Amino acid sequence: MLKKVVFAGTQTPSFAQGSAALEALAGLTISTKQVERITEKIGRERLEQRDRAVEDFRKLPLMTRCESPIPLAPDLAVVEMDGGRLQILDRRAEASDPVADEDDEPEPEVRRGHWREDKIGVLMTMTSTVSADDPCPEIPEHFVDPTRILKLTREIKGSVSIGDDDVNMSSESTEDDPVPAADFTPRPRVRTMVATRGKAKQFGLILACAAYVRGFAAARRKAFVADGAATNWTTHKQWFSDYTPILDFIHALTYVFASAMAGRSFRAGWEAYIVWIQQVWSGRVEDVITALEARQSELGTPTKDDPEKSPRRVVAEALNYLRNNAARMRYPDYRKAGLPITSSHMESTVKLFNRRLKGTEKFWSEEGAEAILQLRADYLSETEPLEEYWKDREANATGRRPYRRSG
């Protein structure tokens, strides 16, 4: 019965729907509160297991961490990370907010009401072909489709200013309009998910532990793919420095598109975008940086009084983004090596987590959020960690019912 309760509590959008699902599918009449309590209890047990494994990994000698604990290491190992959003309402946690460690890096977490960030990672073994030449020197058509690109940019960056031309653009979501997979794109084989509400330093350790368990250290090819957030690349430097660092091409595209449109008509901006995005695709990022520097000189340096979407500020942000990430944008080399150049699997993973955790009517305590994040990661992982957990739990069961002591 515990398996059914936890499955319903983890998979359905809410505990109430989980209770209804148990009654409809399994004939079990269990209150919503009981589903919540059992799910959180099992989640805490899984967190204890995770933390023990992470602590054991942390104590390993450095040379041991560079070896594979499994006999067959993967050929291509890929690690991606990003953040989702959920609402936290936990007055006890707010009142006793722990003091950060001295070596903790400051994490600029945007606090809009109760919205907070969770950190999510996906670890994949993948299959791909290594080529002597670039398998796709010309940028695919879907990256130069104006309707698709405007939708994609608005989904990632929010509103994007475009010129007032006679161009009919839709602003519908791209969720049902996926980017076609090219022949050179690596295919995922087995995926493992991890997640936490903890700080970036803790998350990096959890992610590194999960990679070690799967033998990623001994993989022949290794890639770390993420957007340009500083936290991502701090994690890469600390735990995955021998992985090829790759800036997600889609995020780079959104900055190039926004800066091409800044202060121009749509037609003029689109002409600039076509040239610039081909240069980025071809690994000639310095050419785009030079063009943006010239554009910045035309518009002038942004001031503190400029609005967020002013052309000067948009171009300055794009310049800063490309300069900071130019070394991670050697896309022709990555394609030849059979490495992924987008974090599309990470984006879809965040959506799968958000489906269970995110909602205007959903509020979590810190303890409850951490438990459900762990169980959601377990449920979505194709390595099926919960199956091993249930076997161990059954083997270690004593038959005694635990009671709380009173007084």
Side-chain angles (χ1 to χ4, degrees):
M1 187 190 80
L2 276 176
K3 290 184 182 180
K4 294 180 180 178
V5 171
V6 174
F7 175 87
T10 303
Q11 170 61 5
T12 52
S14 70
F15 291 116
Q17 289 171 308
S19 179
L22 285 168
E23 186 169 3
L25 299 176
L28 297 172
T29 302
I30 301 176
S31 70
T32 299
K33 199 63 181 176
Q34 190 173 0
V35 172
E36 179 182 345
R37 286 171 176 165
I38 293 176
T39 302
E40 187 171 339
K41 178 180 184 295
I42 300 301
R44 286 197 303 269
E45 291 181 11
R46 281 291 297 127
L47 286 172
E48 290 172 2
Q49 287 185 336
R50 181 199 73 184
D51 292 343
R52 285 196 299 270
V54 167
E55 182 61 19
D56 290 343
F57 168 75
R58 190 185 66 80
K59 293 177 179 178
L60 289 176
L62 181 59
M63 292 305 297
T64 304
R65 294 182 194 171
C66 297
E67 300 171 353
S68 173
I70 59 176
L72 295 176
D75 175 58
L76 173 55
V78 178
V79 175
E80 301 181 359
M81 63 178 287
D82 201 355
R85 289 289 185 272
L86 74 168
Q87 291 195 99
I88 297 293
L89 180 58
D90 195 339
R91 294 183 177 88
R92 290 175 300 174
E94 292 172 0
S96 58
D97 191 20
V99 178
D101 294 336
E102 291 182 2
D103 56 351
D104 270 345
E105 291 192 8
E107 295 183 56
E109 183 171 308
V110 179
R111 290 177 175 257
R112 296 176 180 173
H114 298 291
W115 290 106
R116 303 290 183 269
E117 183 184 60
D118 50 11
K119 298 170 182 65
I120 302 170
V122 58
L123 306 98
M124 298 176 286
T125 52
M126 304 187 85
T127 57
S128 68
T129 303
V130 177
S131 307
D133 301 314
D134 186 350
C136 186
E138 296 296 321
I139 192 164
E141 292 183 2
H142 51 266
F143 289 134
V144 289
D145 178 334
T147 302
R148 180 188 293 273
I149 295 308
L150 184 57
K151 290 177 181 178
L152 185 63
T153 306
R154 284 178 171 169
E155 184 177 283
I156 294 176
K157 287 183 66 66
S159 61
V160 177
S161 299
I162 63 172
D164 188 17
D165 292 22
D166 294 329
V167 181
N168 182 21
M169 288 293 186
S170 170
S171 60
E172 296 177 3
S173 171
T174 60
E175 186 172 348
D176 298 322
D177 189 22
V179 174
D183 292 338
F184 64 87
T185 304
R187 280 7 185 224
R189 295 187 64 191
V190 181
R191 287 173 280 205
T192 298
M193 283 70 165
V194 297
T196 184
R197 266 281 297 148
K199 292 183 178 294
K201 181 180 176 182
Q202 176 191 4
F203 175 72
L205 186 55
I206 294 170
L207 196 61
C209 176
Y212 169 77
V213 169
R214 294 201 56 192
F216 280 19
R220 186 172 65 89
R221 295 176 292 159
K222 295 178 280 191
F224 185 96
V225 189
D227 63 34
T231 300
N232 297 337
W233 301 109
T234 299
T235 301
H236 170 266
K237 181 179 179 180
Q238 183 172 6
W239 296 106
F240 301 95
S241 58
D242 58 332
Y243 287 53
T244 301
I246 302 174
L247 178 75
D248 172 44
F249 179 77
I250 303 298
H251 278 81
L253 178 151
T254 62
Y255 278 88
V256 170
F257 179 78
S259 59
M261 294 295 155
R264 291 189 172 114
S265 68
F266 182 85
R267 297 183 189 281
W270 185 253
E271 290 177 3
Y273 166 77
I274 291 294
V275 174
W276 293 351
I277 201 60
Q278 178 62 59
Q279 290 173 333
V280 171
W281 184 262
S282 301
R284 294 156 51 200
V285 182
E286 293 300 331
D287 292 346
V288 182
I289 291 175
T290 299
L292 282 174
E293 288 172 341
R295 181 62 176 157
Q296 188 78 78
S297 298
E298 294 174 9
L299 296 171
T301 305
T303 68
K304 62 179 182 180
D305 296 325
D306 285 330
E308 182 181 357
K309 298 300 179 182
S310 69
R312 290 190 292 192
R313 179 164 290 184
V314 170
V315 171
E317 288 177 352
L319 254 177
N320 186 56
Y321 193 85
L322 296 185
R323 284 170 177 163
N324 289 342
N325 294 286
R328 309 177 188 115
M329 300 173 68
R330 297 181 286 106
Y331 298 117
D333 293 341
Y334 308 146
R335 291 192 293 272
K336 286 191 287 185
L339 304 180
I341 63 171
T342 72
S343 59
S344 56
H345 295 288
M346 184 71 256
E347 300 295 330
S348 61
T349 297
V350 170
K351 289 179 180 179
L352 290 174
F353 273 84
N354 286 347
R355 187 178 298 171
R356 178 62 184 90
L357 288 135
K358 185 178 180 180
T360 55
E361 77 291 350
K362 293 179 183 177
F363 293 88
W364 303 89
S365 66
E366 287 288 5
E367 188 178 51
E370 191 70 7
I372 201 69
L373 278 167
Q374 178 62 43
L375 287 177
R376 188 64 171 160
D378 288 344
Y379 174 79
L380 294 172
S381 293
E382 294 167 351
T383 45
E384 299 182 340
L386 277 179
E387 290 303 312
E388 191 66 28
Y389 163 78
W390 289 120
K391 291 178 183 177
D392 291 343
R393 196 175 197 275
E394 183 177 353
N396 295 324
T398 63
R400 295 182 179 181
R401 178 175 295 180
Y403 292 95
R404 292 183 180 178
R405 291 184 177 181
S406 60

PDB file of all heavy atoms in Angstrom, residues 16-48:
ATOM      1  N   ALA A  16      -4.612  15.863  -2.920  1.00  0.00           N
ATOM      2  CA  ALA A  16      -6.043  15.563  -3.020  1.00  0.00           C
ATOM      3  C   ALA A  16      -6.327  14.700  -4.245  1.00  0.00           C
ATOM      4  O   ALA A  16      -7.106  13.744  -4.189  1.00  0.00           O
ATOM      5  CB  ALA A  16      -6.848  16.855  -3.087  1.00  0.00           C
ATOM      6  N   GLN A  17      -5.678  15.027  -5.362  1.00  0.00           N
ATOM      7  CA  GLN A  17      -5.862  14.222  -6.562  1.00  0.00           C
ATOM      8  C   GLN A  17      -5.225  12.857  -6.412  1.00  0.00           C
ATOM      9  O   GLN A  17      -5.698  11.872  -6.975  1.00  0.00           O
ATOM     10  CB  GLN A  17      -5.291  14.967  -7.772  1.00  0.00           C
ATOM     11  CG  GLN A  17      -6.144  16.184  -8.162  1.00  0.00           C
ATOM     12  CD  GLN A  17      -5.470  17.050  -9.211  1.00  0.00           C
ATOM     13  OE1 GLN A  17      -4.337  17.443  -9.043  1.00  0.00           O
ATOM     14  NE2 GLN A  17      -6.183  17.333 -10.291  1.00  0.00           N
ATOM     15  N   GLY A  18      -4.145  12.798  -5.624  1.00  0.00           N
ATOM     16  CA  GLY A  18      -3.534  11.508  -5.341  1.00  0.00           C
ATOM     17  C   GLY A  18      -4.473  10.614  -4.559  1.00  0.00           C
ATOM     18  O   GLY A  18      -4.585   9.413  -4.826  1.00  0.00           O
ATOM     19  N   SER A  19      -5.171  11.188  -3.575  1.00  0.00           N
ATOM     20  CA  SER A  19      -6.146  10.434  -2.793  1.00  0.00           C
ATOM     21  C   SER A  19      -7.270   9.922  -3.678  1.00  0.00           C
ATOM     22  O   SER A  19      -7.688   8.770  -3.573  1.00  0.00           O
ATOM     23  CB  SER A  19      -6.709  11.325  -1.676  1.00  0.00           C
ATOM     24  OG  SER A  19      -7.678  10.634  -0.925  1.00  0.00           O
ATOM     25  N   ALA A  20      -7.733  10.781  -4.602  1.00  0.00           N
ATOM     26  CA  ALA A  20      -8.805  10.379  -5.517  1.00  0.00           C
ATOM     27  C   ALA A  20      -8.330   9.283  -6.466  1.00  0.00           C
ATOM     28  O   ALA A  20      -9.071   8.352  -6.792  1.00  0.00           O
ATOM     29  CB  ALA A  20      -9.291  11.588  -6.309  1.00  0.00           C
ATOM     30  N   ALA A  21      -7.072   9.388  -6.903  1.00  0.00           N
ATOM     31  CA  ALA A  21      -6.520   8.381  -7.816  1.00  0.00           C
ATOM     32  C   ALA A  21      -6.419   7.029  -7.140  1.00  0.00           C
ATOM     33  O   ALA A  21      -6.680   5.991  -7.750  1.00  0.00           O
ATOM     34  CB  ALA A  21      -5.148   8.837  -8.315  1.00  0.00           C
ATOM     35  N   LEU A  22      -6.021   7.008  -5.868  1.00  0.00           N
ATOM     36  CA  LEU A  22      -5.928   5.746  -5.127  1.00  0.00           C
ATOM     37  C   LEU A  22      -7.291   5.059  -5.028  1.00  0.00           C
ATOM     38  O   LEU A  22      -7.402   3.848  -5.170  1.00  0.00           O
ATOM     39  CB  LEU A  22      -5.370   6.007  -3.729  1.00  0.00           C
ATOM     40  CG  LEU A  22      -3.870   6.293  -3.636  1.00  0.00           C
ATOM     41  CD1 LEU A  22      -3.527   6.813  -2.252  1.00  0.00           C
ATOM     42  CD2 LEU A  22      -3.065   5.044  -3.954  1.00  0.00           C
ATOM     43  N   GLU A  23      -8.327   5.854  -4.802  1.00  0.00           N
ATOM     44  CA  GLU A  23      -9.662   5.280  -4.686  1.00  0.00           C
ATOM     45  C   GLU A  23     -10.157   4.765  -6.028  1.00  0.00           C
ATOM     46  O   GLU A  23     -10.757   3.697  -6.116  1.00  0.00           O
ATOM     47  CB  GLU A  23     -10.635   6.331  -4.140  1.00  0.00           C
ATOM     48  CG  GLU A  23     -12.023   5.767  -3.861  1.00  0.00           C
ATOM     49  CD  GLU A  23     -12.892   6.726  -3.074  1.00  0.00           C
ATOM     50  OE1 GLU A  23     -12.444   7.847  -2.793  1.00  0.00           O
ATOM     51  OE2 GLU A  23     -14.039   6.349  -2.748  1.00  0.00           O
ATOM     52  N   ALA A  24      -9.867   5.528  -7.099  1.00  0.00           N
ATOM     53  CA  ALA A  24     -10.359   5.136  -8.419  1.00  0.00           C
ATOM     54  C   ALA A  24      -9.599   3.942  -8.995  1.00  0.00           C
ATOM     55  O   ALA A  24     -10.196   3.051  -9.605  1.00  0.00           O
ATOM     56  CB  ALA A  24     -10.260   6.327  -9.370  1.00  0.00           C
ATOM     57  N   LEU A  25      -8.290   3.905  -8.805  1.00  0.00           N
ATOM     58  CA  LEU A  25      -7.468   2.903  -9.460  1.00  0.00           C
ATOM     59  C   LEU A  25      -7.190   1.676  -8.596  1.00  0.00           C
ATOM     60  O   LEU A  25      -7.027   0.581  -9.119  1.00  0.00           O
ATOM     61  CB  LEU A  25      -6.131   3.527  -9.880  1.00  0.00           C
ATOM     62  CG  LEU A  25      -6.218   4.696 -10.868  1.00  0.00           C
ATOM     63  CD1 LEU A  25      -4.831   5.268 -11.124  1.00  0.00           C
ATOM     64  CD2 LEU A  25      -6.847   4.242 -12.178  1.00  0.00           C
ATOM     65  N   ALA A  26      -7.122   1.892  -7.276  1.00  0.00           N
ATOM     66  CA  ALA A  26      -6.747   0.777  -6.398  1.00  0.00           C
ATOM     67  C   ALA A  26      -7.823   0.419  -5.391  1.00  0.00           C
ATOM     68  O   ALA A  26      -7.649  -0.526  -4.617  1.00  0.00           O
ATOM     69  CB  ALA A  26      -5.441   1.111  -5.666  1.00  0.00           C
ATOM     70  N   GLY A  27      -8.928   1.164  -5.363  1.00  0.00           N
ATOM     71  CA  GLY A  27      -9.985   0.882  -4.410  1.00  0.00           C
ATOM     72  C   GLY A  27      -9.604   1.179  -2.980  1.00  0.00           C
ATOM     73  O   GLY A  27     -10.172   0.619  -2.050  1.00  0.00           O
ATOM     74  N   LEU A  28      -8.614   2.080  -2.785  1.00  0.00           N
ATOM     75  CA  LEU A  28      -8.150   2.429  -1.444  1.00  0.00           C
ATOM     76  C   LEU A  28      -8.732   3.768  -1.031  1.00  0.00           C
ATOM     77  O   LEU A  28      -8.592   4.757  -1.745  1.00  0.00           O
ATOM     78  CB  LEU A  28      -6.624   2.510  -1.407  1.00  0.00           C
ATOM     79  CG  LEU A  28      -5.863   1.212  -1.707  1.00  0.00           C
ATOM     80  CD1 LEU A  28      -4.373   1.503  -1.822  1.00  0.00           C
ATOM     81  CD2 LEU A  28      -6.120   0.184  -0.619  1.00  0.00           C
ATOM     82  N   THR A  29      -9.399   3.789   0.104  1.00  0.00           N
ATOM     83  CA  THR A  29      -9.946   5.047   0.617  1.00  0.00           C
ATOM     84  C   THR A  29      -8.984   5.596   1.662  1.00  0.00           C
ATOM     85  O   THR A  29      -8.931   5.124   2.798  1.00  0.00           O
ATOM     86  CB  THR A  29     -11.336   4.826   1.242  1.00  0.00           C
ATOM     87  OG1 THR A  29     -12.201   4.254   0.260  1.00  0.00           O
ATOM     88  CG2 THR A  29     -11.914   6.160   1.709  1.00  0.00           C
ATOM     89  N   ILE A  30      -8.192   6.572   1.252  1.00  0.00           N
ATOM     90  CA  ILE A  30      -7.185   7.173   2.120  1.00  0.00           C
ATOM     91  C   ILE A  30      -7.346   8.679   2.070  1.00  0.00           C
ATOM     92  O   ILE A  30      -7.489   9.261   0.993  1.00  0.00           O
ATOM     93  CB  ILE A  30      -5.760   6.783   1.673  1.00  0.00           C
ATOM     94  CG1 ILE A  30      -5.608   5.252   1.694  1.00  0.00           C
ATOM     95  CG2 ILE A  30      -4.703   7.422   2.550  1.00  0.00           C
ATOM     96  CD1 ILE A  30      -4.283   4.764   1.187  1.00  0.00           C
ATOM     97  N   SER A  31      -7.337   9.302   3.219  1.00  0.00           N
ATOM     98  CA  SER A  31      -7.543  10.748   3.271  1.00  0.00           C
ATOM     99  C   SER A  31      -6.387  11.487   2.628  1.00  0.00           C
ATOM    100  O   SER A  31      -5.258  10.983   2.535  1.00  0.00           O
ATOM    101  CB  SER A  31      -7.698  11.213   4.721  1.00  0.00           C
ATOM    102  OG  SER A  31      -6.464  11.101   5.410  1.00  0.00           O
ATOM    103  N   THR A  32      -6.682  12.707   2.195  1.00  0.00           N
ATOM    104  CA  THR A  32      -5.653  13.546   1.575  1.00  0.00           C
ATOM    105  C   THR A  32      -4.487  13.772   2.538  1.00  0.00           C
ATOM    106  O   THR A  32      -3.319  13.712   2.138  1.00  0.00           O
ATOM    107  CB  THR A  32      -6.256  14.902   1.175  1.00  0.00           C
ATOM    108  OG1 THR A  32      -7.296  14.681   0.224  1.00  0.00           O
ATOM    109  CG2 THR A  32      -5.207  15.811   0.569  1.00  0.00           C
ATOM    110  N   LYS A  33      -4.799  14.012   3.809  1.00  0.00           N
ATOM    111  CA  LYS A  33      -3.753  14.263   4.794  1.00  0.00           C
ATOM    112  C   LYS A  33      -2.863  13.052   4.990  1.00  0.00           C
ATOM    113  O   LYS A  33      -1.639  13.177   5.156  1.00  0.00           O
ATOM    114  CB  LYS A  33      -4.384  14.669   6.135  1.00  0.00           C
ATOM    115  CG  LYS A  33      -3.403  15.381   7.065  1.00  0.00           C
ATOM    116  CD  LYS A  33      -2.933  16.694   6.455  1.00  0.00           C
ATOM    117  CE  LYS A  33      -1.938  17.407   7.348  1.00  0.00           C
ATOM    118  NZ  LYS A  33      -1.419  18.631   6.707  1.00  0.00           N
ATOM    119  N   GLN A  34      -3.447  11.859   4.931  1.00  0.00           N
ATOM    120  CA  GLN A  34      -2.648  10.651   5.107  1.00  0.00           C
ATOM    121  C   GLN A  34      -1.717  10.445   3.919  1.00  0.00           C
ATOM    122  O   GLN A  34      -0.557  10.043   4.087  1.00  0.00           O
ATOM    123  CB  GLN A  34      -3.553   9.431   5.282  1.00  0.00           C
ATOM    124  CG  GLN A  34      -2.787   8.176   5.714  1.00  0.00           C
ATOM    125  CD  GLN A  34      -3.704   7.022   6.046  1.00  0.00           C
ATOM    126  OE1 GLN A  34      -4.918   7.140   5.953  1.00  0.00           O
ATOM    127  NE2 GLN A  34      -3.135   5.897   6.436  1.00  0.00           N
ATOM    128  N   VAL A  35      -2.211  10.721   2.707  1.00  0.00           N
ATOM    129  CA  VAL A  35      -1.350  10.643   1.521  1.00  0.00           C
ATOM    130  C   VAL A  35      -0.176  11.600   1.672  1.00  0.00           C
ATOM    131  O   VAL A  35       0.981  11.257   1.396  1.00  0.00           O
ATOM    132  CB  VAL A  35      -2.150  10.963   0.244  1.00  0.00           C
ATOM    133  CG1 VAL A  35      -1.212  11.070  -0.962  1.00  0.00           C
ATOM    134  CG2 VAL A  35      -3.212   9.902  -0.006  1.00  0.00           C
ATOM    135  N   GLU A  36      -0.484  12.816   2.146  1.00  0.00           N
ATOM    136  CA  GLU A  36       0.562  13.824   2.332  1.00  0.00           C
ATOM    137  C   GLU A  36       1.594  13.363   3.354  1.00  0.00           C
ATOM    138  O   GLU A  36       2.805  13.466   3.129  1.00  0.00           O
ATOM    139  CB  GLU A  36      -0.068  15.141   2.773  1.00  0.00           C
ATOM    140  CG  GLU A  36       0.917  16.257   3.019  1.00  0.00           C
ATOM    141  CD  GLU A  36       0.245  17.530   3.490  1.00  0.00           C
ATOM    142  OE1 GLU A  36      -0.999  17.647   3.361  1.00  0.00           O
ATOM    143  OE2 GLU A  36       0.958  18.409   4.005  1.00  0.00           O
ATOM    144  N   ARG A  37       1.120  12.843   4.491  1.00  0.00           N
ATOM    145  CA  ARG A  37       2.043  12.446   5.566  1.00  0.00           C
ATOM    146  C   ARG A  37       2.926  11.279   5.151  1.00  0.00           C
ATOM    147  O   ARG A  37       4.135  11.266   5.420  1.00  0.00           O
ATOM    148  CB  ARG A  37       1.241  12.093   6.818  1.00  0.00           C
ATOM    149  CG  ARG A  37       0.671  13.318   7.544  1.00  0.00           C
ATOM    150  CD  ARG A  37      -0.273  12.900   8.639  1.00  0.00           C
ATOM    151  NE  ARG A  37      -0.752  14.058   9.397  1.00  0.00           N
ATOM    152  CZ  ARG A  37      -1.798  14.032  10.211  1.00  0.00           C
ATOM    153  NH1 ARG A  37      -2.467  12.892  10.385  1.00  0.00           N
ATOM    154  NH2 ARG A  37      -2.177  15.115  10.855  1.00  0.00           N
ATOM    155  N   ILE A  38       2.332  10.268   4.499  1.00  0.00           N
ATOM    156  CA  ILE A  38       3.118   9.102   4.092  1.00  0.00           C
ATOM    157  C   ILE A  38       4.139   9.504   3.029  1.00  0.00           C
ATOM    158  O   ILE A  38       5.296   9.082   3.070  1.00  0.00           O
ATOM    159  CB  ILE A  38       2.191   7.989   3.561  1.00  0.00           C
ATOM    160  CG1 ILE A  38       1.331   7.437   4.706  1.00  0.00           C
ATOM    161  CG2 ILE A  38       3.012   6.876   2.914  1.00  0.00           C
ATOM    162  CD1 ILE A  38       0.312   6.414   4.271  1.00  0.00           C
ATOM    163  N   THR A  39       3.700  10.334   2.088  1.00  0.00           N
ATOM    164  CA  THR A  39       4.614  10.780   1.029  1.00  0.00           C
ATOM    165  C   THR A  39       5.788  11.539   1.622  1.00  0.00           C
ATOM    166  O   THR A  39       6.949  11.308   1.252  1.00  0.00           O
ATOM    167  CB  THR A  39       3.867  11.667   0.019  1.00  0.00           C
ATOM    168  OG1 THR A  39       2.766  10.935  -0.540  1.00  0.00           O
ATOM    169  CG2 THR A  39       4.794  12.114  -1.099  1.00  0.00           C
ATOM    170  N   GLU A  40       5.497  12.429   2.576  1.00  0.00           N
ATOM    171  CA  GLU A  40       6.570  13.202   3.183  1.00  0.00           C
ATOM    172  C   GLU A  40       7.486  12.303   4.024  1.00  0.00           C
ATOM    173  O   GLU A  40       8.705  12.484   4.037  1.00  0.00           O
ATOM    174  CB  GLU A  40       5.994  14.322   4.047  1.00  0.00           C
ATOM    175  CG  GLU A  40       7.057  15.280   4.568  1.00  0.00           C
ATOM    176  CD  GLU A  40       6.470  16.513   5.241  1.00  0.00           C
ATOM    177  OE1 GLU A  40       5.299  16.836   4.968  1.00  0.00           O
ATOM    178  OE2 GLU A  40       7.192  17.144   6.027  1.00  0.00           O
ATOM    179  N   LYS A  41       6.907  11.315   4.682  1.00  0.00           N
ATOM    180  CA  LYS A  41       7.709  10.394   5.503  1.00  0.00           C
ATOM    181  C   LYS A  41       8.683   9.601   4.632  1.00  0.00           C
ATOM    182  O   LYS A  41       9.883   9.506   4.941  1.00  0.00           O
ATOM    183  CB  LYS A  41       6.783   9.434   6.261  1.00  0.00           C
ATOM    184  CG  LYS A  41       7.515   8.399   7.120  1.00  0.00           C
ATOM    185  CD  LYS A  41       6.500   7.506   7.831  1.00  0.00           C
ATOM    186  CE  LYS A  41       7.200   6.529   8.773  1.00  0.00           C
ATOM    187  NZ  LYS A  41       8.050   5.560   8.042  1.00  0.00           N
ATOM    188  N   ILE A  42       8.189   9.044   3.540  1.00  0.00           N
ATOM    189  CA  ILE A  42       9.060   8.281   2.645  1.00  0.00           C
ATOM    190  C   ILE A  42      10.087   9.210   1.994  1.00  0.00           C
ATOM    191  O   ILE A  42      11.251   8.832   1.801  1.00  0.00           O
ATOM    192  CB  ILE A  42       8.233   7.553   1.572  1.00  0.00           C
ATOM    193  CG1 ILE A  42       7.233   6.588   2.231  1.00  0.00           C
ATOM    194  CG2 ILE A  42       9.138   6.812   0.603  1.00  0.00           C
ATOM    195  CD1 ILE A  42       7.864   5.541   3.105  1.00  0.00           C
ATOM    196  N   GLY A  43       9.652  10.429   1.689  1.00  0.00           N
ATOM    197  CA  GLY A  43      10.583  11.405   1.131  1.00  0.00           C
ATOM    198  C   GLY A  43      11.729  11.699   2.082  1.00  0.00           C
ATOM    199  O   GLY A  43      12.890  11.802   1.671  1.00  0.00           O
ATOM    200  N   ARG A  44      11.426  11.823   3.380  1.00  0.00           N
ATOM    201  CA  ARG A  44      12.481  12.080   4.371  1.00  0.00           C
ATOM    202  C   ARG A  44      13.448  10.896   4.456  1.00  0.00           C
ATOM    203  O   ARG A  44      14.656  11.081   4.601  1.00  0.00           O
ATOM    204  CB  ARG A  44      11.871  12.354   5.750  1.00  0.00           C
ATOM    205  CG  ARG A  44      11.224  13.730   5.873  1.00  0.00           C
ATOM    206  CD  ARG A  44      11.029  14.095   7.333  1.00  0.00           C
ATOM    207  NE  ARG A  44      10.244  13.121   8.057  1.00  0.00           N
ATOM    208  CZ  ARG A  44       8.912  13.172   8.194  1.00  0.00           C
ATOM    209  NH1 ARG A  44       8.241  14.160   7.620  1.00  0.00           N
ATOM    210  NH2 ARG A  44       8.270  12.246   8.886  1.00  0.00           N
ATOM    211  N   GLU A  45      12.910   9.675   4.381  1.00  0.00           N
ATOM    212  CA  GLU A  45      13.777   8.502   4.411  1.00  0.00           C
ATOM    213  C   GLU A  45      14.718   8.486   3.204  1.00  0.00           C
ATOM    214  O   GLU A  45      15.897   8.153   3.316  1.00  0.00           O
ATOM    215  CB  GLU A  45      12.935   7.219   4.444  1.00  0.00           C
ATOM    216  CG  GLU A  45      12.182   7.021   5.760  1.00  0.00           C
ATOM    217  CD  GLU A  45      11.383   5.728   5.766  1.00  0.00           C
ATOM    218  OE1 GLU A  45      11.575   4.893   4.840  1.00  0.00           O
ATOM    219  OE2 GLU A  45      10.561   5.533   6.685  1.00  0.00           O
ATOM    220  N   ARG A  46      14.195   8.859   2.038  1.00  0.00           N
ATOM    221  CA  ARG A  46      15.033   8.908   0.834  1.00  0.00           C
ATOM    222  C   ARG A  46      16.080  10.020   0.950  1.00  0.00           C
ATOM    223  O   ARG A  46      17.224   9.865   0.500  1.00  0.00           O
ATOM    224  CB  ARG A  46      14.168   9.137  -0.399  1.00  0.00           C
ATOM    225  CG  ARG A  46      13.464   7.899  -0.884  1.00  0.00           C
ATOM    226  CD  ARG A  46      14.443   6.891  -1.471  1.00  0.00           C
ATOM    227  NE  ARG A  46      15.108   7.427  -2.651  1.00  0.00           N
ATOM    228  CZ  ARG A  46      16.417   7.472  -2.832  1.00  0.00           C
ATOM    229  NH1 ARG A  46      17.241   7.016  -1.887  1.00  0.00           N
ATOM    230  NH2 ARG A  46      16.941   7.987  -3.928  1.00  0.00           N
ATOM    231  N   LEU A  47      15.714  11.132   1.586  1.00  0.00           N
ATOM    232  CA  LEU A  47      16.685  12.213   1.791  1.00  0.00           C
ATOM    233  C   LEU A  47      17.823  11.760   2.710  1.00  0.00           C
ATOM    234  O   LEU A  47      18.985  12.107   2.480  1.00  0.00           O
ATOM    235  CB  LEU A  47      15.990  13.439   2.377  1.00  0.00           C
ATOM    236  CG  LEU A  47      15.103  14.237   1.421  1.00  0.00           C
ATOM    237  CD1 LEU A  47      14.319  15.294   2.182  1.00  0.00           C
ATOM    238  CD2 LEU A  47      15.941  14.894   0.324  1.00  0.00           C
ATOM    239  N   GLU A  48      17.481  10.994   3.735  1.00  0.00           N
ATOM    240  CA  GLU A  48      18.515  10.479   4.630  1.00  0.00           C
ATOM    241  C   GLU A  48      19.468   9.563   3.875  1.00  0.00           C
ATOM    242  O   GLU A  48      20.694   9.623   4.061  1.00  0.00           O
ATOM    243  CB  GLU A  48      17.858   9.729   5.799  1.00  0.00           C
ATOM    244  CG  GLU A  48      17.120  10.644   6.770  1.00  0.00           C
ATOM    245  CD  GLU A  48      16.317   9.870   7.797  1.00  0.00           C
ATOM    246  OE1 GLU A  48      16.375   8.616   7.751  1.00  0.00           O
ATOM    247  OE2 GLU A  48      15.630  10.491   8.632  1.00  0.00           O
TER     248      GLU A  48
END
